[in-house]
């Protein structure tokens, strides 16, 4: 009964390709997030959706496009992949107004661009 | 702008040693404070959090943290570390009223030698 799940866990692809990462949460939370963690472990928020509405959109290349079909899912599509996109991408979810909005993280997707 | 500073980037301890990891934040208003842990190859897990009440917070696995408002600090402590505590530790803050966006420290890498 995984709370926040992501697929795939590993993704190896060539430069220039388009790929998607999927995220699902079964916690009943209303807010979901995408983070990028680089090789130095630095965590950077990319996007956040609340009830399918984009509420945080940090300075991210427009090759990255999130999509939230419903509040339990937040997918990340990346066009024209570049070497610098190699990182671990974490999905997270939280419920606004509950328990200081603790964020719960998925297992991560390790993306390697060759 | 809000920021979180973790003073120790790399810490190496022997088993049974005591641990204290520093975390300071800059924000003038009311905050919620978190410590997350990331074991090697795994996702982030919540260790403990503070949002109101007793400033000494106890978390999982024997960890605790103390919120000192006058010092804008939320240091993490454990009296006796184990080899299994080897991990990355992240301090994070969000501002009351803007609970969706967590501001993260750069992390502290802890290595515990058996």
């Amino acid at each position: 009964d995984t709370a926040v799940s992501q697929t795939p866990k590993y993704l190896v692809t060539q430069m220039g390709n388009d790929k998607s990462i999927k995220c699902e949460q079964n916690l009943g939370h209303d807010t979901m997030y995408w983070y990028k963690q680089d090789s130095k472990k630095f965590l950077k928020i990319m996007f956040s959706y609340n009830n399918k509405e984009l509420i945080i959109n940090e300075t991210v290349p427009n090759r990255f496009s999130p999509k939230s079909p419903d509040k339990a899912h937040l997918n990340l599509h990346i066009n024209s992949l570049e070497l610098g996109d190699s990182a671990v991408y974490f999905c997270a979810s939280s419920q606004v107004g509950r328990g200081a909005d603790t964020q719960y993280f998925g297992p991560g997707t390790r993306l390697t661009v060759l | 702008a809000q920021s979180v500073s973790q003073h120790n980037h790399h810490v190496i301890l022997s088993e049974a040693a005591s641990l204290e990891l520093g975390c300071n934040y800059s924000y003038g208003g009311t905050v919620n404070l978190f410590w997350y842990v990331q074991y090697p190859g795994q996702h982030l897990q919540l260790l403990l959090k503070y949002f109101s009440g007793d400033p000494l917070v106890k978390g999982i696995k024997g960890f605790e943290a103390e919120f000192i408002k006058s010092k804008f600090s939320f240091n993490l402590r454990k009296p006796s570390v184990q080899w299994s505590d080897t991990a990355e530790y992240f301090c994070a803050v969000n501002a009351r009223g803007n609970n969706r966006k967590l501001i993260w420290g750069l992390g502290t890498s802890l290595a515990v030698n058996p």
Side-chain angles (χ1 to χ4, degrees), chain B:
Chain B
Q2 300 166 39
S3 66
V4 175
S5 172
Q6 291 184 238
H7 317 296
N8 321 96
H9 296 297
H10 299 281
V11 174
I12 301 173
L13 294 173
S14 298
E15 275 195 317
S18 64
L19 171 72
E20 180 158 2
L21 301 182
C23 174
N24 284 88
Y25 65 93
S26 69
Y27 180 69
T30 306
V31 294
N32 302 313
L33 298 145
F34 305 81
W35 275 99
Y36 281 83
V37 61
Q38 186 177 25
Y39 297 105
Q42 295 191 27
H43 64 287
L44 288 103
Q45 303 171 46
L46 181 70
L47 261 184
L48 46 79
K49 64 184 179 186
Y50 170 84
F51 56 96
S52 66
D54 188 344
L56 183 62
V57 179
K58 295 199 184 294
I60 60 171
K61 306 189 180 189
F63 285 90
E64 65 177 32
E66 185 175 13
F67 171 46
I68 303 180
K69 191 174 178 181
S70 60
K71 295 185 178 180
F72 297 90
S73 71
F74 190 54
N75 292 353
L76 181 71
R77 300 193 292 248
K78 185 170 183 178
S80 176
V81 294
Q82 301 172 304
W83 177 77
S84 58
D85 294 323
T86 295
E88 292 278 335
Y89 291 82
F90 293 91
C91 181
V93 171
N94 62 18
R96 298 275 173 92
N98 186 16
N99 285 341
R100 296 180 183 93
K101 187 169 178 179
L102 272 176
I103 308 298
W104 294 84
L106 294 179
T108 296
S109 174
L110 171 66
V112 180
N113 295 322

Side-chain angles (χ1 to χ4, degrees), chain A residues 30-44:
Chain A
D30 62 0
T31 305
M32 296 183 73
Y33 310 79
W34 276 111
Y35 285 89
K36 180 180 180 181
Q37 186 177 45
D38 64 22
S39 58
K40 294 184 179 178
K41 302 289 186 182
F42 179 60
L43 268 168
K44 179 183 164 64

Side-chain angles (χ1 to χ4, degrees), chain A residues 11-79:
Chain A
L11 187 51
V12 181
T13 188
Q14 300 283 339
M15 262 176 36
N17 284 350
D18 303 338
K19 290 293 178 186
S20 292
I21 308 172
K22 296 186 175 182
C23 179
E24 176 180 0
Q25 56 96 2
N26 62 7
L27 296 167
H29 289 166
D30 62 0
T31 305
M32 296 183 73
Y33 310 79
W34 276 111
Y35 285 89
K36 180 180 180 181
Q37 186 177 45
D38 64 22
S39 58
K40 294 184 179 178
K41 302 289 186 182
F42 179 60
L43 268 168
K44 179 183 164 64
I45 180 75
M46 299 173 71
F47 301 103
S48 177
Y49 271 74
N50 175 256
N51 285 318
K52 302 196 297 175
E53 181 184 344
L54 182 64
I55 55 168
I56 295 175
N57 185 355
E58 295 293 294
T59 308
V60 175
N62 58 14
R63 298 181 294 103
F64 290 79
S65 52
K67 194 164 285 186
S68 182
D70 56 61
K71 72 174 192 177
H73 296 84
L74 180 62
N75 303 325
L76 183 65
H77 187 75
I78 316 170
N79 288 326

